[in-house]
Amino acid sequence: NTICFDSNLLKIESKQCNDYLFSILKARAESVLATLDCQADFVENIKSMIAGRLCNGNFSIEEVAISLNMSKRTLQRKLNEENLVYQSLLDEIRQSMAISYLLKGECSINNIPFLVGYSDTRSFSRAFKRWTGLTANEYYKKYAA
């Protein structure tokens, strides 16, 4: 998430400028920024990219790396530093989205495989059973309200 402001706002001088208050607020902001986990943002950014690309079919590690202006190997190395593997992130996103689609009932069970990036229903069915121990129909019957 971002908040964007017109760059012309930076040129406006405040008539009520308080240098002391500014120094306190600046120190606090720098302190907060220093404690933020940039690597978590990196991983969340990758997850978001994967989720947004699943239904289009362009979610390969190569395509995600290109979008991040890095090589596939660099992306793999950065994920490895976080003890992550691209395929596990992909599976996590697919599982989360599939279960969400299934339980919300917003689309047919037959469409879910394609929405989460599978080219056929058999591959999706095997993956869903691996994730949950149940078929999609069994999961829906058990957990849908």
Side-chain angles (χ1 to χ4, degrees):
N1 296 332
T2 61
I3 298 175
C4 299
F5 295 96
D6 187 338
S7 61
N8 291 328
L9 290 174
L10 295 172
K11 298 173 186 170
I12 298 173
E13 241 183 80
S14 174
K15 293 178 181 155
Q16 298 176 345
C17 181
N18 182 326
D19 290 330
Y20 176 70
L21 180 59
F22 174 75
S23 67
I24 292 171
L25 293 174
K26 182 179 178 188
R28 177 66 183 138
E30 288 171 351
S31 165
V32 169
L33 288 173
T35 63
L36 291 177
D37 185 0
C38 294
Q39 291 302 323
D41 292 339
F42 175 73
V43 172
E44 289 305 314
N45 185 27
I46 292 173
K47 287 180 178 181
S48 178
M49 290 180 86
I50 293 170
R53 294 163 172 256
L54 282 177
C55 65
N56 298 331
N58 61 345
F59 54 86
S60 72
I61 189 170
E62 292 84 5
E63 290 165 331
V64 170
I66 289 168
S67 294
L68 294 167
N69 294 317
M70 63 179 68
S71 69
K72 171 186 170 184
R73 182 66 192 114
T74 300
L75 177 55
Q76 288 172 324
R77 185 174 33 78
K78 287 186 174 217
L79 289 173
N80 190 40
E81 290 170 2
E82 297 296 314
N83 296 318
L84 294 169
V85 177
Y86 183 82
Q87 187 61 46
S88 64
L89 287 178
L90 177 60
D91 280 347
E92 180 184 328
I93 298 300
R94 282 176 155 173
Q95 177 183 1
S96 172
M97 290 179 71
I99 289 172
S100 176
Y101 285 135
L102 186 64
L103 295 181
K104 287 182 180 178
E106 295 173 346
C107 61
S108 163
I109 290 177
N110 295 330
N111 291 334
I112 294 174
F114 306 106
L115 292 172
V116 296
Y118 285 92
S119 58
D120 64 84
T121 56
R122 288 178 42 207
S123 297
F124 170 75
S125 296
R126 284 192 305 273
F128 196 89
K129 183 113 180 178
R130 185 181 75 240
W131 298 330
T132 65
L134 302 168
T135 67
N137 282 324
E138 291 168 341
Y139 192 92
Y140 179 77
K141 288 175 186 172
K142 185 172 182 177
Y143 295 106

